[in-house]
Amino acid sequence: MKIFYCCYGSAHSSVVAASIHLGLMPVNRIPVANEFMYLPHYDETRSFEIGTPFFMGKDEFNSDVFILGMGSERKLIKKAILSFLTHMGLNSKELLMVDTLHNVNWITKIGGFTSRRLGLISIGRPLTIIGIQQKYRYFIELVNNVKKRELEILNLA
Amino acid sequence: MKVIYSCYWGSYLAVVAASLHLGLIDFDKYNKDNIITLTMFDKIKNEELGELFFIGTDAGEREVYVMGSKSSGEILQKTFKGIAQIYGFRNDLVCFINLNAYVNGLLFLGVFFHKSLGFNKTGIKLILKGIEKNYNAIKKVVQNVKNEPIYEVTDTEGGAI
């Protein structure tokens, strides 16, 4: 099964959600700033890479976990992926596309803009981390729900 | 191999390009009467943006599609290639052509008159004028696509699909 954590630019919220899913981030406490620095792709994805899916790892159920930046038309891109798979004759039942942008607050948004768009990493990156730390429990909740759904789908298959 | 012609609304430039590709309209001369009779011309609704519509198969067995992708053409180009790879296909299985660079003022105005104001006759007239203005450029794009090598569509185990 394939799980895509999707956000605007695949640099912050999708990376954190995918990392929690894969056990790279804690589920019993809020991580300190340093722990974000070691996450693959965290605050690194460039604008021209939006749209490219990045593989983050395999989870305990052998599902492939990806991150994907969808820009501002997430609904359209999701529909396009499903339509593409259908026309390729591929099964889209074992696929989850999870929007992580709901968990992003304005601090992370400003931080992301400052770091990724303006290139002011030393100011923007810490802001993205503070914002995510504030909403971290929602990320854990989201991943828990995704795993429940994942198990339901795998049991049905 | 899948060739996807995409533009903002999907049913104007993309339909013309796909029809040129498949020889459904005259390649050498712009003919508006020919264009308005195309099955998919002006047919994709707003809620259908993001969906692929199959138009036909060319002589080289390439499947030709159209899609309305608003301003996400560049993103989708990368997404489709990535998804194809993830599912074990060559990424050049998909040839995604974003035609948004050929959307001009006449076309924009025409769609606004047609879709937002409901002035269908004027709107379509302007849309056709907009297409006519960039007809030669679209022909060049299509010709380049047709000149591209054709890849056999196989999965990772070499089985044709």
Side-chain angles (χ1 to χ4, degrees), chain B residues 32-50:
Chain B
K32 69 174 180 188
D33 298 326
N34 214 333
I35 289 171
I36 50 173
T37 56
L38 291 169
T39 322
M40 285 304 289
F41 183 78
D42 190 37
K43 289 291 185 300
I44 298 176
K45 298 179 195 123
N46 283 348
E47 59 269 24
E48 291 172 322
L49 297 176

Side-chain angles (χ1 to χ4, degrees), chain A residues 2 4 47-54 64 66 68-73 76-77 79-81 83-85 87-88 90-92 94-95, chain B residues 2 4 46-54 63 65 67-70 72 74-76 78-80 82-84 86-87 89 93-94 161:
Chain A
K2 301 186 194 312
F4 291 83
S47 293
F48 68 86
E49 292 175 311
I50 294 178
T52 304
F54 294 104
D64 295 325
F66 299 88
L68 176 61
M70 290 182 166
S72 52
E73 294 289 349
L76 186 146
I77 307 267
K79 199 197 277 185
I81 292 173
S83 181
F84 179 65
L85 291 176
H87 284 280
M88 291 284 287
L90 295 166
N91 177 11
S92 59
E94 291 195 18
L95 168 79
Chain B
K2 296 191 188 306
I4 302 165
N46 283 348
E47 59 269 24
E48 291 172 322
L49 297 176
E51 277 178 41
L52 282 167
F53 291 91
F54 177 68
E63 292 167 9
Y65 295 83
M67 168 184 250
S69 54
K70 295 174 96 171
S72 298
E74 273 182 46
I75 292 176
L76 275 175
K78 287 172 261 181
T79 307
F80 284 161
I83 296 283
I86 286 167
Y87 280 86
F89 298 97
L93 151 77
V94 191
I161 64 161

Side-chain angles (χ1 to χ4, degrees), chain A residues 25-98:
Chain A
M25 287 292 253
V27 288
N28 51 358
R29 63 177 172 84
I30 294 168
V32 296
N34 256 353
E35 290 175 276
F36 287 85
M37 302 300 191
Y38 300 107
L39 297 179
H41 301 287
Y42 188 82
D43 196 44
E44 276 177 2
T45 314
R46 311 278 295 272
S47 293
F48 68 86
E49 292 175 311
I50 294 178
T52 304
F54 294 104
F55 179 64
M56 291 289 282
K58 266 189 188 296
D59 72 5
E60 63 270 37
F61 309 113
N62 210 30
S63 300
D64 295 325
V65 178
F66 299 88
I67 53 167
L68 176 61
M70 290 182 166
S72 52
E73 294 289 349
R74 288 181 299 285
K75 207 174 153 193
L76 186 146
I77 307 267
K78 280 182 199 169
K79 199 197 277 185
I81 292 173
L82 292 176
S83 181
F84 179 65
L85 291 176
T86 305
H87 284 280
M88 291 284 287
L90 295 166
N91 177 11
S92 59
K93 282 177 190 150
E94 291 195 18
L95 168 79
L96 274 177
M97 284 187 275
V98 185

